[in-house]
Amino acid sequence: MTDDEELAWSVDSSHVAYECPGFDIVHDEVTLPDGTRTDYDYVDEPPAVVVLPFTTDGDVVVIDEWRQAVDRVNHGLPAGSVEPGDDDLVLAARRELREETGYEAGTVEPLTTVEPSNGIGNSVHHHFVARDCEPSTDQALDHDESIRVDTRPYDDLLAAARDGDLRDGRAVTALCYHELFG
């Protein structure tokens, strides 16, 4: 038995306890490594793409979007769920950039993949860097999206992340990863 196997839980039964657009709540009955039986609920949602888009001038295309869960406008980056049939995540990132901002990218490259909340959900976020982005079309927003598009200097976004003014975890992850490793 490997070290990881000795920590693994065994799933005795599983079912979707609640469905809604965008995610489900899954209820598992599990047995822990010490034999304890308990239940565990988590958010089940499709993978997502997050785009750090740079204009030809080096500014970043950003979005402001109402987020009901935190009751405020969120300042962040274009992002969205991977849709069924999205076999190419670069194409999914291009689509989300275009739909949310109306910008097209010259190039799109992978940046990192993270599990942002693996204690309560199975979310997987694939981050990309898009370069040479230019406005090319109107936004094509989903029925439940209210998004304003702007551009900001990269250094201003870094300062906002440092100062706590940029609170969107996806955006902060993309900026920090890009700054450290990009």
Side-chain angles (χ1 to χ4, degrees), residues 1-77:
M1 178 180 289
T2 68
D3 289 343
D4 287 351
E5 288 174 332
E6 70 185 38
L7 296 176
W9 298 2
S10 120
V11 177
D12 303 318
S13 68
S14 182
H15 71 275
V16 174
Y18 178 77
E19 292 180 14
C20 67
F23 67 90
D24 295 333
I25 303 296
V26 174
H27 178 82
D28 287 348
E29 297 289 333
V30 298
T31 302
L32 306 180
D34 70 359
T36 302
R37 295 196 62 188
T38 189
D39 55 352
Y40 182 78
D41 297 305
Y42 65 93
V43 177
D44 175 41
E45 64 181 342
V49 292
V50 181
V51 185
L52 176 59
F54 289 92
T55 66
T56 54
D57 296 332
D59 288 339
V60 178
V61 181
V62 295
I63 62 171
D64 294 333
E65 181 174 13
W66 180 258
R67 291 299 192 184
Q68 185 64 25
V70 292
D71 194 34
R72 66 176 166 75
V73 171
N74 180 69
H75 310 291
L77 299 174

Side-chain angles (χ1 to χ4, degrees), residues 91-134:
L91 292 178
R94 286 182 177 279
R95 180 193 66 242
E96 286 300 324
L97 175 65
R98 183 178 53 256
E99 287 178 358
E100 292 195 353
T101 68
Y103 278 73
E104 294 281 349
T107 62
V108 176
E109 298 175 352
L111 179 62
T112 191
T113 296
V114 298
E115 298 170 347
S117 56
N118 61 18
I120 61 167
N122 64 359
S123 307
V124 176
H125 293 176
H126 303 281
H127 290 71
F128 293 87
V129 174
R131 300 204 183 275
D132 299 323
C133 296
E134 295 184 355

Side-chain angles (χ1 to χ4, degrees), residues 125-157:
H125 293 176
H126 303 281
H127 290 71
F128 293 87
V129 174
R131 300 204 183 275
D132 299 323
C133 296
E134 295 184 355
S136 67
T137 188
D138 292 331
Q139 291 171 295
L141 300 176
D142 292 338
H143 76 281
D144 61 351
E145 290 179 315
S146 315
I147 296 176
R148 180 176 50 236
V149 179
D150 199 3
T151 59
R152 298 205 183 110
Y154 177 75
D155 289 340
D156 288 0
L157 282 180

